[in-house]
Amino acid sequence: MISATVEAQPSQSGEAGLRSLMTRGRWIEVARILFTGLVALLYWQQIVPIWLLWIAVAVGLYPLVKTGLIDLFTERKIGTEIFVTIATLVAVFGGETVAGAVLMVIILIAEFIADLNTDRARASIKALIGSVPQTAIVREDNIERVVPIADLVVGQIVLVRTGEKIPVDGVVVGGLASVNQAPITGESIPQDKADGSPVFAGTIVEAGALDIKTEKVGGDTIFSRIIALVENAEAEQAPVQKLADRVASWLIPVVFVFLIVVFLVTRDVSKIVTLLIFTSPAELGLATPIVMIAAIARAARSGILIKGGLYLEQLAKADAIVFDKTGTLTANKPAVVRIDSLDRTVPEPDILRLAASADRRSAHPLAKAVVEAAAREGLLVPEPDSYEQIQGRGVRATVESRVVLVGNPALLREHNVPIAFAVQSGGQTPVHVAVDGKFCGVLYIADTLRPGAGHAVAALKEHGIRRVVMLTGDNRASADAIANQLGIDEIQADLMPEDKVAVIADLQNRGFKVAMVGDGVNDAPALARADIGIAMGAAGTQAALEAADIALMTDDLGKIVGARNIARRAYRTVQENLWVGVGVVHVLGITAALMGWIGPIQAAFIHLGPDVAVFLNSVKLLRIKIEEA
Ligand code: ADP
Ligand code: MG
């Protein structure tokens, strides 16, 4: 199991040691296999009597019968265990005693290895993602001491030196360092950190040293959230998985009728035993989960968090992608480029000062540009007396007992502020400012495309996306200015958050499977409505991380292409597993058994083939290179 708690560092090789996997239960399993195998061998050599073989068969079958019955009664599902049990019993009572015992031993060995391998895959996923140190060096009253993570408190100052991992989420309060954030963001280029920079648990100080004020510890850190999400990802099953399970349960009665018919015709016990081995639909169930775990782990290593197999499959099948504009396609570095004063009673610096004050607490990318412009002018920006973010429109605040509105024309209209003329934006985003019910100024914000936006859109189209749509609450002129630089098929401007939902629903009604990419600001309902909601820059906002189905830990649009490619690879691998690993091998096996080319023991050996093939085909996803545009 992958654990969300902070644990000791696993081996760096990415592989978990075999010894740690050999639990008491596993040793008992080994003893059971050895005992059954040995007795079968001795009976075959006519050294021990038949009743001892029957005991050995009973000992060998015990765990199979147990899990088989538990599955049958709790999950109403007939697994391999039941098939192997029946095959063994048919062989033993039908006079093929040695074949039955050998077959059972081979299956036990196969199950044992498969089980061990799955655990190893999980363990190496955990090692790939990394870990957080168990202790931290805390400075208090100029004394430094080592404190276990569990005893750390928010607000304490933690020291981290070159080569060490940061143990907490927090903010830098001293020192300079270059930090490798790959465990969270997948970016290999280190980031420079200085006073005020946020830092994350699990990332590594490559050069320099930092004093960090602790903000989040243990299970609250982004890193722990990521581990917990990857762990839970197994629960959100992909539809193919459910389909495989359904087909498996539907196949079982068919298989039994088929076997009875074959027996009535041939009266050949050995043939029935052989057929039983190949008709077990168990790998159908195995074909997807390992792929999904491997793909999710691979994505996590690139800073792409996929919250379940379900979303991997949806993303692989998506054929329309919708981008929110502000903060997603743009907000590379939005900046106020011009200020128009419309009312002599409120001078230009005052417009900026009041707007910045109103926007101080907003997380909107444009709000940040306004606040930055005021800082650049050296204005003293007071804390607002009251503040309210109005979704998709802007903010309303009280500053120095004046009511300040900052946002789009709809905001002003809704507050009965007359707008004497339509603002000509020329591709920039006009932010309207009203003070005490009077429209008194416009801040023009120039926003540029994120680097790589064009490439990302082009790459998505190359990879099967048929329709790319851009949504925005901004005006049409600035929407067009941005969209014209990209290969966007459809532009929808002047939208309220609820209109964004309607656009998604409309695309869905037209038969598209829709992925929506946003930053979680003003677009959360649309993210929720889409078949897959993808949030960008989730390392910054916990809310986006929680709300989305897929969260990108950085603002890099290329990661969407990366996520799509991983999803498509995973989906293809599942199909390969199902058709080649399970379908073809079983059809060939059944044919060979019916033709009498192979007997039960060969069948048991051949049967290992698809198990191993499916496993290897799945875990190779862990190491694939992905194109990120
Ligand atoms: P987008 O759909 O492009 O992401 P939003 O729906 O987030 O845009 O915002 C729509 C419009 O509302 C913006 O273009 C801006 O004019 C206005 N707006 C929203 N929030 C704010 C804010 N905090 N400060 C200033 N303007 C805002
Ligand atoms: Mg937005």
mmCIF file of all heavy atoms in Angstrom, residues 322-331 363-366 368 447 450 500 516-524 527 533-538 540-545 547-548 552 555:
data_model
loop_
_atom_site.group_PDB
_atom_site.id
_atom_site.type_symbol
_atom_site.label_atom_id
_atom_site.label_comp_id
_atom_site.label_asym_id
_atom_site.label_seq_id
_atom_site.Cartn_x
_atom_site.Cartn_y
_atom_site.Cartn_z
ATOM 1 N N VAL A 322 -11.771 22.471 -24.185
ATOM 2 C CA VAL A 322 -12.219 23.837 -23.952
ATOM 3 C C VAL A 322 -11.218 24.505 -23.014
ATOM 4 O O VAL A 322 -10.881 23.946 -21.973
ATOM 5 C CB VAL A 322 -13.614 23.824 -23.295
ATOM 6 C CG1 VAL A 322 -14.060 25.236 -22.957
ATOM 7 C CG2 VAL A 322 -14.628 23.147 -24.210
ATOM 8 N N PHE A 323 -10.740 25.680 -23.425
ATOM 9 C CA PHE A 323 -9.805 26.423 -22.583
ATOM 10 C C PHE A 323 -10.485 27.670 -22.033
ATOM 11 O O PHE A 323 -11.177 28.369 -22.766
ATOM 12 C CB PHE A 323 -8.597 26.888 -23.400
ATOM 13 C CG PHE A 323 -7.648 25.797 -23.781
ATOM 14 C CD1 PHE A 323 -7.732 25.191 -25.023
ATOM 15 C CD2 PHE A 323 -6.663 25.383 -22.903
ATOM 16 C CE1 PHE A 323 -6.851 24.187 -25.381
ATOM 17 C CE2 PHE A 323 -5.776 24.385 -23.255
ATOM 18 C CZ PHE A 323 -5.865 23.777 -24.497
ATOM 19 N N ASP A 324 -10.268 27.915 -20.776
ATOM 20 C CA ASP A 324 -10.638 29.205 -20.222
ATOM 21 C C ASP A 324 -9.536 30.169 -20.677
ATOM 22 O O ASP A 324 -8.399 29.750 -20.860
ATOM 23 C CB ASP A 324 -10.657 29.076 -18.695
ATOM 24 C CG ASP A 324 -11.209 30.307 -18.033
ATOM 25 O OD1 ASP A 324 -12.214 30.829 -18.525
ATOM 26 O OD2 ASP A 324 -10.644 30.738 -17.018
ATOM 27 N N LYS A 325 -9.889 31.451 -20.900
ATOM 28 C CA LYS A 325 -8.844 32.341 -21.407
ATOM 29 C C LYS A 325 -7.933 32.863 -20.291
ATOM 30 O O LYS A 325 -6.791 32.453 -20.173
ATOM 31 C CB LYS A 325 -9.452 33.526 -22.164
ATOM 32 C CG LYS A 325 -8.381 34.494 -22.679
ATOM 33 C CD LYS A 325 -8.959 35.663 -23.463
ATOM 34 C CE LYS A 325 -9.531 36.755 -22.588
ATOM 35 N NZ LYS A 325 -8.526 37.682 -22.049
ATOM 36 N N THR A 326 -8.532 33.761 -19.451
ATOM 37 C CA THR A 326 -7.692 34.459 -18.489
ATOM 38 C C THR A 326 -7.178 33.493 -17.436
ATOM 39 O O THR A 326 -7.956 32.796 -16.801
ATOM 40 C CB THR A 326 -8.491 35.603 -17.826
ATOM 41 O OG1 THR A 326 -9.204 36.281 -18.846
ATOM 42 C CG2 THR A 326 -7.574 36.553 -17.104
ATOM 43 N N GLY A 327 -5.880 33.440 -17.289
ATOM 44 C CA GLY A 327 -5.301 32.562 -16.271
ATOM 45 C C GLY A 327 -4.968 31.187 -16.797
ATOM 46 O O GLY A 327 -4.325 30.406 -16.115
ATOM 47 N N THR A 328 -5.448 30.877 -18.019
ATOM 48 C CA THR A 328 -5.167 29.547 -18.550
ATOM 49 C C THR A 328 -4.361 29.664 -19.834
ATOM 50 O O THR A 328 -3.192 29.288 -19.877
ATOM 51 C CB THR A 328 -6.479 28.770 -18.785
ATOM 52 O OG1 THR A 328 -7.202 28.735 -17.566
ATOM 53 C CG2 THR A 328 -6.200 27.359 -19.248
ATOM 54 N N LEU A 329 -5.009 30.220 -20.878
ATOM 55 C CA LEU A 329 -4.256 30.442 -22.119
ATOM 56 C C LEU A 329 -3.367 31.672 -21.971
ATOM 57 O O LEU A 329 -2.316 31.771 -22.579
ATOM 58 C CB LEU A 329 -5.212 30.637 -23.293
ATOM 59 C CG LEU A 329 -5.864 29.371 -23.842
ATOM 60 C CD1 LEU A 329 -6.837 29.719 -24.951
ATOM 61 C CD2 LEU A 329 -4.810 28.403 -24.353
ATOM 62 N N THR A 330 -3.826 32.622 -21.139
ATOM 63 C CA THR A 330 -3.034 33.840 -20.946
ATOM 64 C C THR A 330 -2.521 33.896 -19.509
ATOM 65 O O THR A 330 -2.335 32.870 -18.898
ATOM 66 C CB THR A 330 -3.869 35.096 -21.229
ATOM 67 O OG1 THR A 330 -4.808 35.237 -20.173
ATOM 68 C CG2 THR A 330 -4.593 35.008 -22.547
ATOM 69 N N ALA A 331 -2.352 35.104 -19.010
ATOM 70 C CA ALA A 331 -1.819 35.329 -17.680
ATOM 71 C C ALA A 331 -0.399 34.837 -17.602
ATOM 72 O O ALA A 331 0.038 34.279 -16.610
ATOM 73 C CB ALA A 331 -2.661 34.674 -16.594
ATOM 74 N N ALA A 363 -8.046 36.497 -5.974
ATOM 75 C CA ALA A 363 -7.057 35.585 -6.540
ATOM 76 C C ALA A 363 -7.030 35.669 -8.058
ATOM 77 O O ALA A 363 -6.282 34.967 -8.715
ATOM 78 C CB ALA A 363 -7.376 34.156 -6.108
ATOM 79 N N HIS A 364 -7.879 36.533 -8.640
ATOM 80 C CA HIS A 364 -7.969 36.629 -10.099
ATOM 81 C C HIS A 364 -6.664 37.157 -10.686
ATOM 82 O O HIS A 364 -6.073 38.071 -10.122
ATOM 83 C CB HIS A 364 -9.130 37.555 -10.467
ATOM 84 C CG HIS A 364 -9.635 37.346 -11.864
ATOM 85 N ND1 HIS A 364 -9.042 37.923 -12.947
ATOM 86 C CD2 HIS A 364 -10.657 36.594 -12.329
ATOM 87 C CE1 HIS A 364 -9.698 37.552 -14.047
ATOM 88 N NE2 HIS A 364 -10.681 36.739 -13.688
ATOM 89 N N PRO A 365 -6.208 36.578 -11.815
ATOM 90 C CA PRO A 365 -4.936 37.034 -12.396
ATOM 91 C C PRO A 365 -4.943 38.527 -12.714
ATOM 92 O O PRO A 365 -3.915 39.193 -12.581
ATOM 93 C CB PRO A 365 -4.791 36.207 -13.676
ATOM 94 C CG PRO A 365 -5.859 35.174 -13.673
ATOM 95 C CD PRO A 365 -6.773 35.422 -12.527
ATOM 96 N N LEU A 366 -6.106 39.064 -13.141
ATOM 97 C CA LEU A 366 -6.165 40.492 -13.456
ATOM 98 C C LEU A 366 -6.038 41.335 -12.190
ATOM 99 O O LEU A 366 -5.435 42.406 -12.202
ATOM 100 C CB LEU A 366 -7.480 40.826 -14.174
ATOM 101 C CG LEU A 366 -7.690 40.136 -15.522
ATOM 102 C CD1 LEU A 366 -8.978 40.629 -16.168
ATOM 103 C CD2 LEU A 366 -6.511 40.361 -16.458
ATOM 104 N N LYS A 368 -4.275 40.607 -9.670
ATOM 105 C CA LYS A 368 -2.852 40.671 -9.317
ATOM 106 C C LYS A 368 -2.146 41.747 -10.127
ATOM 107 O O LYS A 368 -1.273 42.452 -9.616
ATOM 108 C CB LYS A 368 -2.200 39.304 -9.561
ATOM 109 C CG LYS A 368 -2.651 38.294 -8.513
ATOM 110 C CD LYS A 368 -1.876 36.999 -8.620
ATOM 111 C CE LYS A 368 -2.514 35.952 -7.713
ATOM 112 N NZ LYS A 368 -2.614 34.648 -8.379
ATOM 113 N N ASP A 447 -2.529 41.337 -21.738
ATOM 114 C CA ASP A 447 -2.252 39.987 -21.274
ATOM 115 C C ASP A 447 -1.655 39.264 -22.460
ATOM 116 O O ASP A 447 -2.135 39.400 -23.573
ATOM 117 C CB ASP A 447 -3.587 39.339 -20.871
ATOM 118 C CG ASP A 447 -3.382 38.224 -19.878
ATOM 119 O OD1 ASP A 447 -2.209 37.906 -19.581
ATOM 120 O OD2 ASP A 447 -4.395 37.690 -19.409
ATOM 121 N N ARG A 450 0.433 32.448 -22.943
ATOM 122 C CA ARG A 450 1.476 31.678 -22.274
ATOM 123 C C ARG A 450 2.413 31.118 -23.324
ATOM 124 O O ARG A 450 1.966 30.726 -24.395
ATOM 125 C CB ARG A 450 0.851 30.476 -21.573
ATOM 126 C CG ARG A 450 0.349 30.792 -20.224
ATOM 127 C CD ARG A 450 -0.076 29.514 -19.550
ATOM 128 N NE ARG A 450 -0.999 29.828 -18.490
ATOM 129 C CZ ARG A 450 -0.627 30.367 -17.335
ATOM 130 N NH1 ARG A 450 0.646 30.633 -17.106
ATOM 131 N NH2 ARG A 450 -1.503 30.644 -16.426
ATOM 132 N N LYS A 500 -20.610 29.526 -19.128
ATOM 133 C CA LYS A 500 -19.523 28.613 -19.463
ATOM 134 C C LYS A 500 -20.015 27.175 -19.340
ATOM 135 O O LYS A 500 -19.705 26.316 -20.163
ATOM 136 C CB LYS A 500 -18.318 28.848 -18.540
ATOM 137 C CG LYS A 500 -17.666 30.214 -18.735
ATOM 138 C CD LYS A 500 -16.417 30.371 -17.864
ATOM 139 C CE LYS A 500 -15.787 31.741 -18.048
ATOM 140 N NZ LYS A 500 -14.626 31.943 -17.169
ATOM 141 N N MET A 516 -12.176 20.131 -20.143
ATOM 142 C CA MET A 516 -12.129 21.580 -19.913
ATOM 143 C C MET A 516 -10.885 21.907 -19.106
ATOM 144 O O MET A 516 -10.602 21.248 -18.103
ATOM 145 C CB MET A 516 -13.397 21.989 -19.153
ATOM 146 C CG MET A 516 -13.282 23.264 -18.350
ATOM 147 S SD MET A 516 -13.950 24.681 -19.256
ATOM 148 C CE MET A 516 -13.165 26.042 -18.369
ATOM 149 N N VAL A 517 -10.141 22.924 -19.562
ATOM 150 C CA VAL A 517 -8.932 23.335 -18.863
ATOM 151 C C VAL A 517 -9.147 24.717 -18.276
ATOM 152 O O VAL A 517 -9.516 25.644 -19.000
ATOM 153 C CB VAL A 517 -7.717 23.390 -19.820
ATOM 154 C CG1 VAL A 517 -6.435 23.598 -19.031
ATOM 155 C CG2 VAL A 517 -7.634 22.142 -20.672
ATOM 156 N N GLY A 518 -8.948 24.858 -16.978
ATOM 157 C CA GLY A 518 -9.129 26.159 -16.354
ATOM 158 C C GLY A 518 -8.182 26.327 -15.184
ATOM 159 O O GLY A 518 -7.401 25.434 -14.875
ATOM 160 N N ASP A 519 -8.282 27.503 -14.536
ATOM 161 C CA ASP A 519 -7.405 27.723 -13.392
ATOM 162 C C ASP A 519 -8.188 27.684 -12.086
ATOM 163 O O ASP A 519 -7.655 27.931 -11.023
ATOM 164 C CB ASP A 519 -6.651 29.054 -13.531
ATOM 165 C CG ASP A 519 -7.592 30.248 -13.632
ATOM 166 O OD1 ASP A 519 -8.821 30.038 -13.720
ATOM 167 O OD2 ASP A 519 -7.098 31.388 -13.615
ATOM 168 N N GLY A 520 -9.470 27.368 -12.167
ATOM 169 C CA GLY A 520 -10.265 27.260 -10.947
ATOM 170 C C GLY A 520 -10.827 28.592 -10.481
ATOM 171 O O GLY A 520 -11.625 28.639 -9.556
ATOM 172 N N VAL A 521 -10.416 29.711 -11.151
ATOM 173 C CA VAL A 521 -10.964 31.013 -10.791
ATOM 174 C C VAL A 521 -12.102 31.325 -11.771
ATOM 175 O O VAL A 521 -11.879 31.437 -12.962
ATOM 176 C CB VAL A 521 -9.882 32.120 -10.872
ATOM 177 C CG1 VAL A 521 -10.471 33.465 -10.495
ATOM 178 C CG2 VAL A 521 -8.709 31.780 -9.982
ATOM 179 N N ASN A 522 -13.316 31.460 -11.288
ATOM 180 C CA ASN A 522 -14.492 31.756 -12.112
ATOM 181 C C ASN A 522 -14.869 30.642 -13.079
ATOM 182 O O ASN A 522 -15.711 30.839 -13.940
ATOM 183 C CB ASN A 522 -14.293 33.027 -12.956
ATOM 184 C CG ASN A 522 -14.386 34.280 -12.103
ATOM 185 O OD1 ASN A 522 -14.848 34.206 -10.972
ATOM 186 N ND2 ASN A 522 -13.953 35.386 -12.630
ATOM 187 N N ASP A 523 -14.217 29.486 -13.017
ATOM 188 C CA ASP A 523 -14.584 28.454 -13.978
ATOM 189 C C ASP A 523 -14.814 27.087 -13.330
ATOM 190 O O ASP A 523 -14.947 26.086 -14.025
ATOM 191 C CB ASP A 523 -13.559 28.373 -15.113
ATOM 192 C CG ASP A 523 -12.145 28.213 -14.591
ATOM 193 O OD1 ASP A 523 -11.986 27.781 -13.439
ATOM 194 O OD2 ASP A 523 -11.203 28.522 -15.334
ATOM 195 N N ALA A 524 -14.885 27.065 -12.005
ATOM 196 C CA ALA A 524 -15.064 25.782 -11.312
ATOM 197 C C ALA A 524 -16.334 25.031 -11.748
ATOM 198 O O ALA A 524 -16.274 23.817 -11.960
ATOM 199 C CB ALA A 524 -15.046 25.984 -9.805
ATOM 200 N N LEU A 527 -15.575 23.376 -14.999
ATOM 201 C CA LEU A 527 -14.653 22.250 -14.798
ATOM 202 C C LEU A 527 -15.426 21.025 -14.324
ATOM 203 O O LEU A 527 -15.166 19.900 -14.731
ATOM 204 C CB LEU A 527 -13.578 22.597 -13.753
ATOM 205 C CG LEU A 527 -12.450 23.520 -14.205
ATOM 206 C CD1 LEU A 527 -11.548 23.871 -13.021
ATOM 207 C CD2 LEU A 527 -11.630 22.872 -15.304
ATOM 208 N N GLY A 533 -12.329 17.571 -15.971
ATOM 209 C CA GLY A 533 -11.914 18.918 -15.596
ATOM 210 C C GLY A 533 -10.423 18.898 -15.307
ATOM 211 O O GLY A 533 -9.954 18.106 -14.510
ATOM 212 N N ILE A 534 -9.682 19.787 -16.001
ATOM 213 C CA ILE A 534 -8.235 19.839 -15.806
ATOM 214 C C ILE A 534 -7.890 21.190 -15.198
ATOM 215 O O ILE A 534 -8.212 22.228 -15.785
ATOM 216 C CB ILE A 534 -7.490 19.658 -17.141
ATOM 217 C CG1 ILE A 534 -7.928 18.347 -17.811
ATOM 218 C CG2 ILE A 534 -5.978 19.700 -16.933
ATOM 219 C CD1 ILE A 534 -7.335 18.132 -19.191
ATOM 220 N N ALA A 535 -7.269 21.194 -14.025
ATOM 221 C CA ALA A 535 -6.905 22.460 -13.388
ATOM 222 C C ALA A 535 -5.417 22.699 -13.541
ATOM 223 O O ALA A 535 -4.617 21.783 -13.408
ATOM 224 C CB ALA A 535 -7.287 22.447 -11.917
ATOM 225 N N MET A 536 -5.069 23.954 -13.830
ATOM 226 C CA MET A 536 -3.663 24.300 -14.027
ATOM 227 C C MET A 536 -3.080 24.960 -12.792
ATOM 228 O O MET A 536 -3.776 25.624 -12.051
ATOM 229 C CB MET A 536 -3.533 25.298 -15.169
ATOM 230 C CG MET A 536 -3.989 24.735 -16.484
ATOM 231 S SD MET A 536 -2.819 25.099 -17.769
ATOM 232 C CE MET A 536 -2.273 26.707 -17.320
ATOM 233 N N GLY A 537 -1.774 24.793 -12.617
ATOM 234 C CA GLY A 537 -1.073 25.478 -11.542
ATOM 235 C C GLY A 537 -1.574 25.091 -10.172
ATOM 236 O O GLY A 537 -1.679 25.902 -9.262
ATOM 237 N N ALA A 538 -1.873 23.793 -10.031
ATOM 238 C CA ALA A 538 -2.509 23.334 -8.804
ATOM 239 C C ALA A 538 -1.588 23.399 -7.593
ATOM 240 O O ALA A 538 -2.061 23.370 -6.457
ATOM 241 C CB ALA A 538 -3.024 21.915 -8.988
ATOM 242 N N GLY A 540 -0.199 25.855 -6.592
ATOM 243 C CA GLY A 540 -0.490 27.121 -5.935
ATOM 244 C C GLY A 540 -1.811 27.111 -5.185
ATOM 245 O O GLY A 540 -1.907 27.599 -4.075
ATOM 246 N N THR A 541 -2.833 26.566 -5.795
ATOM 247 C CA THR A 541 -4.147 26.624 -5.156
ATOM 248 C C THR A 541 -4.661 25.233 -4.817
ATOM 249 O O THR A 541 -4.932 24.430 -5.697
ATOM 250 C CB THR A 541 -5.176 27.325 -6.071
ATOM 251 O OG1 THR A 541 -5.084 26.725 -7.358
ATOM 252 C CG2 THR A 541 -4.913 28.804 -6.168
ATOM 253 N N GLN A 542 -4.790 25.003 -3.542
ATOM 254 C CA GLN A 542 -5.283 23.725 -3.039
ATOM 255 C C GLN A 542 -6.691 23.449 -3.570
ATOM 256 O O GLN A 542 -7.031 22.323 -3.905
ATOM 257 C CB GLN A 542 -5.322 23.770 -1.514
ATOM 258 C CG GLN A 542 -5.621 22.427 -0.873
ATOM 259 C CD GLN A 542 -4.377 21.792 -0.293
ATOM 260 O OE1 GLN A 542 -3.383 22.456 -0.083
ATOM 261 N NE2 GLN A 542 -4.423 20.504 -0.041
ATOM 262 N N ALA A 543 -7.494 24.517 -3.711
ATOM 263 C CA ALA A 543 -8.885 24.339 -4.140
ATOM 264 C C ALA A 543 -8.954 23.701 -5.519
ATOM 265 O O ALA A 543 -9.727 22.776 -5.755
ATOM 266 C CB ALA A 543 -9.602 25.686 -4.150
ATOM 267 N N ALA A 544 -8.092 24.199 -6.434
ATOM 268 C CA ALA A 544 -8.077 23.655 -7.787
ATOM 269 C C ALA A 544 -7.665 22.183 -7.754
ATOM 270 O O ALA A 544 -8.210 21.354 -8.474
ATOM 271 C CB ALA A 544 -7.126 24.457 -8.664
ATOM 272 N N LEU A 545 -6.702 21.888 -6.884
ATOM 273 C CA LEU A 545 -6.216 20.512 -6.756
ATOM 274 C C LEU A 545 -7.347 19.578 -6.334
ATOM 275 O O LEU A 545 -7.481 18.474 -6.835
ATOM 276 C CB LEU A 545 -5.089 20.482 -5.725
ATOM 277 C CG LEU A 545 -4.469 19.134 -5.375
ATOM 278 C CD1 LEU A 545 -3.727 18.564 -6.555
ATOM 279 C CD2 LEU A 545 -3.517 19.270 -4.194
ATOM 280 N N ALA A 547 -10.677 20.218 -6.684
ATOM 281 C CA ALA A 547 -11.869 20.260 -7.539
ATOM 282 C C ALA A 547 -11.710 19.489 -8.843
ATOM 283 O O ALA A 547 -12.657 18.907 -9.338
ATOM 284 C CB ALA A 547 -12.230 21.708 -7.849
ATOM 285 N N ALA A 548 -10.497 19.480 -9.390
ATOM 286 C CA ALA A 548 -10.329 18.938 -10.737
ATOM 287 C C ALA A 548 -10.200 17.422 -10.746
ATOM 288 O O ALA A 548 -9.906 16.810 -9.730
ATOM 289 C CB ALA A 548 -9.088 19.557 -11.366
ATOM 290 N N LEU A 552 -2.695 19.827 -12.994
ATOM 291 C CA LEU A 552 -1.333 20.026 -13.465
ATOM 292 C C LEU A 552 -0.623 20.863 -12.419
ATOM 293 O O LEU A 552 -1.123 21.912 -12.032
ATOM 294 C CB LEU A 552 -1.338 20.753 -14.809
ATOM 295 C CG LEU A 552 -2.269 20.153 -15.867
ATOM 296 C CD1 LEU A 552 -2.217 20.991 -17.136
ATOM 297 C CD2 LEU A 552 -1.890 18.715 -16.159
ATOM 298 N N ASP A 555 1.997 25.723 -14.473
ATOM 299 C CA ASP A 555 1.175 26.411 -15.471
ATOM 300 C C ASP A 555 1.588 26.078 -16.892
ATOM 301 O O ASP A 555 1.274 26.813 -17.813
ATOM 302 C CB ASP A 555 1.283 27.921 -15.260
ATOM 303 C CG ASP A 555 0.513 28.353 -14.038
ATOM 304 O OD1 ASP A 555 -0.436 27.641 -13.680
ATOM 305 O OD2 ASP A 555 0.870 29.379 -13.444
#
